[in-house]
Amino acid sequence: MKLNVGMVGYKFMGKAHSQAYRDAPMFFPDAPTPVMKAICGRDPVGLAQAAAQFGWESTETDWRALVARDDIDLIDINAPSNVHKEIALAAAKAGKHLFCEKPLALTLSDSREMLEAAEAAGVKHMVGFNYRFAPAVQLAKKLVEEGRLGRIYHYRAWFLQDWIVDPDFPLVWRLDKNIAGSGSHGDLGAHLIDLAHFLIGGMKEVIGMSETFIKERPMPSSMTGLSGKGSADAPKGPVTVDDATLFLARFANGALGSFEATRYASGHRCTNAFEINGSKGSVKFDFERMNELQVYLGDDAEDVQGFRRVLATDPAHAYMNAWWPAGHTIGYGQTFTHEVVELLHAIAADRQPVPNFRDGVACQAVLEAVERSIEERRWVGIEEM
């Protein structure tokens, strides 16, 4: 089985998704084969370069033309967040399967509309929470599900970056609420929330706080991914998103949670980490050491109790039998490969992939509950959303 893919976006996430489509047939030959039919973007020059570099067969400069093509089965949306909804609604109406990066939309109401449209059209839909697909995270999920950590008491998570610490860093699109929806909260916090949902379950209520440390920044001359160029002397524009957001949560199962997302943690390039504490044991994960899971099991003999480093690269670990010999690690790009493989298998089996738009909606509900909590300075129940 082959699946023709049309992709909207060709920069940071576009490169990551393209690598995944190229790697999937080599390492997971039992999955349907993705055919990289067409890539779409507004800049014809940059688009042509990306198509040649990434390996796409053709290009489109209007996503509407891409969606209308009869030779496209799946629309991959990794353009900025403010265009997710419009593209997804049109693609669903055209009967295309959907793969959309997170956050699913700028608002909870928009994300619900996207879910309703996808389900009404009967298409498959996936949201891009790639960190679920690190084998060490899959191992943590397995230990929780099997009860080997016991009753879960605590979930604490933090996503720390430092790429905008310099006050002269330009005002890239991720710092514009009209395009990005929110700052560290929606960009980084969304991953923290989804991992919590995946590993622990749903939340009942939240309370949070946030801060924008640098209120104005120089306008950019160019930007791509997490980088941008500009002059410190350039005219300045307002930063309209949060630089850091922290919140507490109560889970439906009684566990307590704490979450921190910031772009102002000097020295932290991509510290996406969590710790789970249960009645029988604990686990710790940090994406900067993504092949490892720190595991503590309380039933170990007292004289050898302590956190052990489990290198999640053996064939017993999720996805690893497709890669290299034990001990030969994988990287960031492979989380997208695993994500794409899940999507391909789901389409072939006529089931919804996981995570899908329902997970995106659940994440957006928490994001907005935290925002309401910050605005109203109170605990907010998720059911209010």
Side-chain angles (χ1 to χ4, degrees), residues 1-6 21 25 29-37 57 70-74 97 343-345 347-348:
M1 175 181 175
K2 292 186 177 181
L3 194 76
N4 292 341
V5 182
Y21 292 126
D30 59 325
T33 300
V35 180
M36 298 165 68
K37 274 291 178 182
E57 292 182 9
D70 292 334
D71 62 342
I72 300 296
D73 304 310
L74 167 71
H97 301 304
L343 174 59
L344 295 171
H345 278 309
I347 292 172

Side-chain angles (χ1 to χ4, degrees), residues 9 22 36 38 53 57 72 108 143 149 163 165 168 208 210 245 252 256 259 275 293 308-309 315 325 338 359 368:
R22 293 180 66 172
M36 298 165 68
Q53 180 180 348
E57 292 182 9
I72 300 296
L108 178 57
L143 295 176
L149 303 185
W163 58 282
V165 167
D168 291 329
S210 67
T245 293
L256 302 181
F259 299 79
E275 181 169 344
L293 187 69
R308 71 188 73 178
R309 181 185 74 113
H338 300 162
D359 299 285
E368 292 196 15

Side-chain angles (χ1 to χ4, degrees), residues 225-280:
L226 298 184
S227 64
K229 294 181 180 180
S231 169
D233 299 327
K236 292 187 176 182
V239 176
T240 53
V241 300
D242 61 292
D243 288 330
T245 293
L246 292 78
F247 71 94
L248 303 177
R250 293 184 184 274
F251 288 87
N253 65 3
L256 302 181
S258 64
F259 299 79
E260 178 181 7
T262 181
R263 294 163 169 167
Y264 278 75
S266 296
H268 290 273
R269 299 300 191 250
C270 193
T271 304
N272 179 8
F274 63 78
E275 181 169 344
I276 305 171
N277 305 132
S279 59
K280 296 181 180 179

Side-chain angles (χ1 to χ4, degrees), residues 45-59:
V45 175
L47 181 65
Q49 292 173 344
Q53 180 180 348
F54 302 164
W56 291 87
E57 292 182 9
S58 63
T59 63

Side-chain angles (χ1 to χ4, degrees), residues 68-141:
R69 284 177 52 162
D70 292 334
D71 62 342
I72 300 296
D73 304 310
L74 167 71
I75 295 293
D76 180 319
I77 308 167
N78 58 77
S81 306
N82 64 323
V83 298
H84 287 185
K85 174 187 170 182
E86 186 179 15
I87 299 172
L89 294 183
K93 186 176 181 180
K96 313 296 187 185
H97 301 304
L98 298 164
F99 179 20
C100 185
E101 264 303 324
K102 48 59 61 184
L104 192 56
L106 295 184
T107 67
L108 178 57
S109 61
D110 283 353
S111 65
R112 284 174 171 155
E113 188 176 348
M114 291 167 66
L115 172 60
E116 291 168 2
E119 295 199 328
V123 299
K124 303 300 181 280
H125 46 87
M126 188 177 209
V127 62
F129 289 121
N130 62 295
Y131 292 105
R132 287 190 183 205
F133 293 92
V137 172
Q138 295 278 323
L139 175 58
K141 171 71 169 177

